[in-house]
Amino acid sequence: MASPDKVDPIHQFIINDLVNFGNFGGYKIAFQNSSLFMLVAVVLIVGFLSLAISGRAMIPGRMQSAAEALYEYIEGLIDQVLGHEGRAYLPFVFSIFTFVLTLNFLGLIPYFYTVTSQIIVTAALAVMVILTVIIVGFAKNGIGFLGLFVPHGVPIAILPLISLIEIISFFARPISLSLRLFGNMLAGHIVLKVFAGFIISLSAFGAVGIVGAIAPFGMVVAITALEILVAGLQALVFSLLTCIYLKDALHPHH
Amino acid sequence: MEMNLLGAGLAAVGMGLAAIGVGNIFGNFISGALRNPSAAKEQFTNALIGAALAEGLGIFAFVVAILLYTK
C-alpha cells in the first residue's frame, strides 16, 4: 500500500459501513456505501423506466423515446445473437445491461462509489449468468447439453483432450466475464485518480506548479471522456457475452 | 527494495500487449468497414466480441499487477 502522505489511488475503493446491524452468526451485516449505490441504481432504473412509459403515447416524448431506444437496442442485440427464440431472455439481459450501465455511469460522478469495481459484485453477476446458462441448457436439451463439450468432426484420438479444453474454457467464462468488467472499471478509476494526484503534487510547487498542473488536468478530462466510452462499452460487452453464452445453452451442438 | 512492486510493474507490461491485440482488431475492422461500409454494421458486434476477448487477457495481467501492488 502507498504511504499515507502520498495520494492513494486505491483509497476510493474502500467500503464504509453506513448502518451496522451487528453480527449474525459471525458475519457482519451492514448497509454499506456499495449497497447504497446499488440501491440508487435500481431506484434510478425503475424510476426512469416507469416514468418514461407511464404516458404510453403513440408519438413518444423525449423520455419515452430514450426508454424505447434502450429497449430496442437490447432487443436488436438478442435478435442478432440468439434469434427469435432468444426473446424469452430479453428481461434477463435487459436487466443486466441497465444495472451494469447505471452502476458504471454512477461511478464516474466525482465522490460517487463505483460498485462494479468490486470483484464480488461482478463475480456474483457472472455466476448468475453462468448458472442461468447451465440451468437453461439442461432444461432445454437435457443430457444433450453436454454435447457442448464434444465438438463435431474431431478425430476420436484427440477428442478427450479437446473435451478437457472445452470444459476448462467453459468454467473459465465466469472468471473472465467478471474480471473483465472489474478490471476495466478498477483500472480506469485508478488512472483517473493517479492523474488527479499529479495535479495536487504539482500545485504544491507554487505558481509554476499550478500552471504546470494544467497538463494533468487536461489529461483527467480526456480520461473521463474515455471512461464514459468504456463504461457504456463494458456494459454492452457484458450483456453481449451473456447472449453468446446463452446461445450455447440453446444450441449446444456447434 | 520491494520486489513485489517490481513484479507489479513487469505484470503491467501484459496490458500493453493486450492493447496491441485490441488495436489490431479495431484497426482491421475499420479498414474492412471502409472497403465495404454496408456490411460494417452487422460485423461491429463481432469486432466487440474479439476486442473483449483480447482485452480480457490484458485484464488478467492487470489483476496480477494489482495483487502484487497491494500485497
Side-chain angles (χ1 to χ4, degrees):
Chain A
M1 273 292 186
S3 52
D5 57 312
K6 280 192 208 150
V7 179
D8 185 7
I10 310 283
H11 184 265
Q12 54 174 325
F13 302 114
I14 290 175
I15 293 177
N16 302 312
D17 294 354
L18 298 179
V19 185
N20 200 336
F21 297 113
N23 279 307
F24 293 94
Y27 292 98
K28 190 176 77 175
I29 308 290
F31 188 78
Q32 295 166 322
N33 50 359
S34 65
S35 336
L36 174 70
F37 279 101
M38 275 190 260
L39 198 65
V40 167
V42 170
V43 168
L44 276 179
I45 296 165
V46 174
F48 168 69
L49 287 178
S50 31
L51 197 65
I53 61 166
S54 60
R56 280 186 203 152
M58 193 59 107
I59 301 159
R62 279 183 202 162
M63 272 180 82
Q64 196 181 338
S65 296
E68 280 177 7
L70 193 67
Y71 179 86
E72 276 165 12
Y73 189 72
I74 298 301
E75 197 181 29
L77 191 75
I78 286 193
D79 274 352
Q80 198 182 344
V81 178
L82 287 174
H84 197 71
E85 59 184 324
R87 283 295 168 87
Y89 307 101
L90 182 58
F92 179 60
V93 178
F94 185 74
S95 312
I96 285 186
F97 178 73
T98 45
F99 188 56
V100 174
L101 186 76
T102 314
L103 287 180
N104 286 355
F105 277 148
L106 273 180
L108 279 172
I109 302 170
Y111 293 104
F112 277 35
Y113 190 81
T114 322
V115 183
T116 40
S117 66
Q118 293 295 324
I119 192 157
I120 187 67
V121 175
T122 60
L125 284 173
V127 165
M128 188 172 74
V129 167
I130 222 72
L131 282 181
T132 309
V133 167
I134 292 173
I135 291 168
V136 167
F138 277 115
K140 290 254 172 189
N141 309 290
I143 204 75
F145 179 58
L146 295 176
L148 182 65
F149 305 120
V150 190
H152 286 294
V154 177
I156 199 80
I158 58 165
L159 193 60
L161 185 66
I162 297 290
S163 291
L164 185 68
I165 293 174
E166 289 281 333
I167 289 170
I168 292 173
S169 87
F170 183 82
F171 286 104
R173 280 173 181 181
I175 301 172
S176 69
L177 190 63
S178 55
L179 279 184
R180 186 176 297 112
L181 179 59
F182 153 77
N184 268 293
M185 300 321 289
L186 184 74
H189 283 262
I190 287 178
V191 170
L192 214 57
K193 262 66 178 185
V194 165
F195 275 97
F198 287 163
I199 302 174
I200 307 292
S201 315
L202 271 173
S203 55
F205 289 112
V208 183
I210 289 172
V211 173
I214 291 172
F217 181 73
M219 203 62 197
V220 168
V221 174
I223 290 171
T224 307
L226 179 72
E227 282 306 303
I228 292 173
L229 173 75
V230 168
L233 201 60
Q234 288 307 317
L236 174 61
V237 162
F238 197 95
S239 37
L240 185 61
L241 287 172
T242 304
C243 290
I244 289 168
Y245 297 159
L246 276 171
K247 191 172 132 193
D248 278 348
L250 296 178
H251 311 284
H253 300 283
H254 53 89
Chain B
M1 180 146 148
E2 292 182 88
M3 290 303 277
N4 55 343
L5 292 183
L6 205 60
L10 283 173
V13 173
M15 294 187 75
L17 300 178
I20 298 174
V22 175
N24 234 330
I25 289 159
F26 278 117
N28 284 331
F29 170 72
I30 287 171
S31 84
L34 287 174
R35 279 164 209 268
N36 187 359
S38 57
K41 212 180 168 193
E42 295 96 78
Q43 295 308 315
F44 184 63
T45 317
N46 285 338
L48 275 187
I49 295 166
L53 293 179
E55 194 188 24
L57 301 174
I59 293 296
F60 290 158
F62 168 72
V63 170
V64 172
I66 281 289
L67 286 178
L68 284 170
Y69 176 70
T70 54
K71 202 171 102 175

